[in-house]
Amino acid sequence: MSRFKEAPRDFNCPYRHHCPEMEGQSSFWIFAEHQRAQTREHEHWRVRDLMAAEINALEKTIREQSAEIDRLRAENKRLHQSRFKPRGKNSKAPEAASNGNEKGRPKTPTAAKKRGAPAGHPPWNRQVPQHIDRTVHIDAPCACPHCHAATDPSCVGTTSYLQEDIVLRPQTVVTSYIHQTAYCPGCRRQVFANPEGGLPFAPIGPAAKAAALYLRHEIKLPYRKIQQVMGTLFGLDFVPASSLGFEKRARQNGEPIYQDLIGKMRHSDIVHADETYWREDGKNVIVWYAGNENVAVFRIDPHRSADAAKCLLGERIEGLLVTDAYAAYNSIEVQGRQSCLAHLLRTAREIRQVLAEMKMPDTRSARFCIQLTRLLKLACALAIPTGHKAREKLID
């Protein structure tokens, strides 16, 4: 058999573009397809290995989650069953069972635990009224109200009790105001004096308006419910839109008082300020607070910016301003500034947690956070009266 011989360097196959052994295909095209097939095969095997590793990881996660679900279900079942006592034969107390057998009597179940406050707990009683508006004397009955037997009039006694109730008067009080007018040379018109305890030319009086505002802002009733309450209990009918008019009028009358509170707040020795989100007529707004133990002022603003803070606090605070780290308060000039101690405590705790996760719980930064936490807790305890539980907890 002849050995394979290499072709000469300058040899050109006359059938390289149309080889009869390859069914007329080009040898260049066949070789290029062979190389691309090898590349695709390697890529397919690589993707297959990655998918197999991902499938194994997912199967491991599923097994771990299934075991965790089983454990949680068992724990939930145990906690649920621990809230209830068993009702079988084993629920009877051993002592009661033994006593019943000795005396020849059937077993009796244990007595249920008495509901209510524990033994020794002081009872709660209503506060005794400080005054009595009226006294009602009721004659002794001639017949017993229980068995209807005749009572003995020679054996009489007295018993008394106090009862508080409300007085409902389902009618309105209509007042006709007749003013005498006088001519004012300065105004060049007839003028009249304002009525005492009334509102000039107002169809609804101040007591009814105050009651409607109380129901709206303290009891949180909607406007239509206010209309129903006023109409049912007092016989005063008005449309729900009238309540909006009451609020606008009350706001106008209270504006001088509101501005006076803002002025007193801005000239206080110490002012606490904060802001939070609020819903007003279905819209997201910001409610701003500023005040101290003696005065508190709130303002609703659509923005959470430095201009909104200045609208409430002003350009300058004459005393100490206590806020969080929000940058909007930095635009206000103050004599002194104090950061909220609760935010400092929270920041120190978060830094310690980060250091613990980084496995550096005993660094200088961690020790500084611990000492700062103790100092701030002691500062908070100084503001709490002696003997209070919160003070003792902070000191400990």
Side-chain angles (χ1 to χ4, degrees), residues 274-278 285-288 304:
D274 199 3
E275 80 289 336
T276 186
Y277 291 97
W278 190 262
V285 294
I286 305 296
V287 57
W288 294 80
R304 191 168 178 255

Short mmCIF file of all heavy atoms in Angstrom, two decimals, residues 274-278 285-288 304:
data_model
loop_
_atom_site.label_atom_id
_atom_site.label_comp_id
_atom_site.label_asym_id
_atom_site.label_seq_id
_atom_site.Cartn_x
_atom_site.Cartn_y
_atom_site.Cartn_z
N ASP A 274 -40.35 69.78 63.13
CA ASP A 274 -40.37 68.51 62.41
C ASP A 274 -41.41 68.61 61.30
O ASP A 274 -42.23 69.53 61.28
CB ASP A 274 -40.70 67.35 63.35
CG ASP A 274 -40.29 66.01 62.77
OD1 ASP A 274 -39.70 66.00 61.68
OD2 ASP A 274 -40.56 64.97 63.40
N GLU A 275 -41.39 67.65 60.39
CA GLU A 275 -42.34 67.62 59.28
C GLU A 275 -42.64 66.17 58.93
O GLU A 275 -41.82 65.28 59.18
CB GLU A 275 -41.80 68.38 58.06
CG GLU A 275 -40.80 67.61 57.22
CD GLU A 275 -39.45 67.42 57.90
OE1 GLU A 275 -39.12 68.24 58.78
OE2 GLU A 275 -38.75 66.46 57.55
N THR A 276 -43.81 65.94 58.36
CA THR A 276 -44.21 64.59 57.95
C THR A 276 -45.23 64.71 56.84
O THR A 276 -45.78 65.78 56.57
CB THR A 276 -44.79 63.80 59.14
OG1 THR A 276 -45.03 62.45 58.72
CG2 THR A 276 -46.10 64.41 59.60
N TYR A 277 -45.50 63.57 56.19
CA TYR A 277 -46.46 63.56 55.09
C TYR A 277 -47.89 63.58 55.63
O TYR A 277 -48.17 63.11 56.73
CB TYR A 277 -46.24 62.32 54.21
CG TYR A 277 -44.96 62.38 53.43
CD1 TYR A 277 -43.80 61.74 53.87
CD2 TYR A 277 -44.89 63.09 52.23
CE1 TYR A 277 -42.62 61.81 53.15
CE2 TYR A 277 -43.71 63.16 51.50
CZ TYR A 277 -42.59 62.52 51.97
OH TYR A 277 -41.42 62.59 51.26
N TRP A 278 -48.81 64.11 54.83
CA TRP A 278 -50.19 64.30 55.26
C TRP A 278 -51.09 64.22 54.03
O TRP A 278 -50.66 64.52 52.92
CB TRP A 278 -50.33 65.67 55.94
CG TRP A 278 -51.64 65.89 56.62
CD1 TRP A 278 -52.72 66.58 56.12
CD2 TRP A 278 -52.02 65.45 57.91
NE1 TRP A 278 -53.74 66.58 57.03
CE2 TRP A 278 -53.35 65.89 58.15
CE3 TRP A 278 -51.38 64.71 58.90
CZ2 TRP A 278 -54.03 65.62 59.32
CZ3 TRP A 278 -52.06 64.45 60.08
CH2 TRP A 278 -53.35 64.89 60.28
N VAL A 285 -49.62 66.14 50.93
CA VAL A 285 -49.03 67.40 51.34
C VAL A 285 -48.10 67.13 52.51
O VAL A 285 -47.92 65.99 52.94
CB VAL A 285 -50.11 68.43 51.74
CG1 VAL A 285 -50.95 68.82 50.53
CG2 VAL A 285 -51.01 67.87 52.85
N ILE A 286 -47.49 68.19 53.03
CA ILE A 286 -46.57 68.10 54.16
C ILE A 286 -47.13 68.93 55.30
O ILE A 286 -47.52 70.08 55.09
CB ILE A 286 -45.16 68.60 53.77
CG1 ILE A 286 -44.64 67.85 52.55
CG2 ILE A 286 -44.20 68.45 54.94
CD1 ILE A 286 -44.44 66.37 52.77
N VAL A 287 -47.19 68.36 56.49
CA VAL A 287 -47.59 69.11 57.67
C VAL A 287 -46.33 69.42 58.47
O VAL A 287 -45.53 68.53 58.78
CB VAL A 287 -48.63 68.33 58.51
CG1 VAL A 287 -48.13 66.97 58.94
CG2 VAL A 287 -49.04 69.16 59.73
N TRP A 288 -46.13 70.70 58.76
CA TRP A 288 -44.96 71.19 59.49
C TRP A 288 -45.36 71.49 60.92
O TRP A 288 -46.46 72.00 61.18
CB TRP A 288 -44.40 72.44 58.82
CG TRP A 288 -43.83 72.20 57.46
CD1 TRP A 288 -44.52 72.08 56.30
CD2 TRP A 288 -42.46 72.04 57.12
NE1 TRP A 288 -43.67 71.85 55.24
CE2 TRP A 288 -42.39 71.83 55.72
CE3 TRP A 288 -41.26 72.08 57.84
CZ2 TRP A 288 -41.20 71.65 55.05
CZ3 TRP A 288 -40.07 71.88 57.17
CH2 TRP A 288 -40.04 71.68 55.80
N ARG A 304 -41.93 70.43 50.60
CA ARG A 304 -41.03 70.07 51.70
C ARG A 304 -39.66 70.69 51.41
O ARG A 304 -38.67 70.01 51.20
CB ARG A 304 -40.93 68.54 51.81
CG ARG A 304 -40.24 68.03 53.07
CD ARG A 304 -40.46 66.54 53.22
NE ARG A 304 -39.78 66.01 54.39
CZ ARG A 304 -38.67 65.29 54.36
NH1 ARG A 304 -38.11 65.01 53.19
NH2 ARG A 304 -38.12 64.85 55.46
#
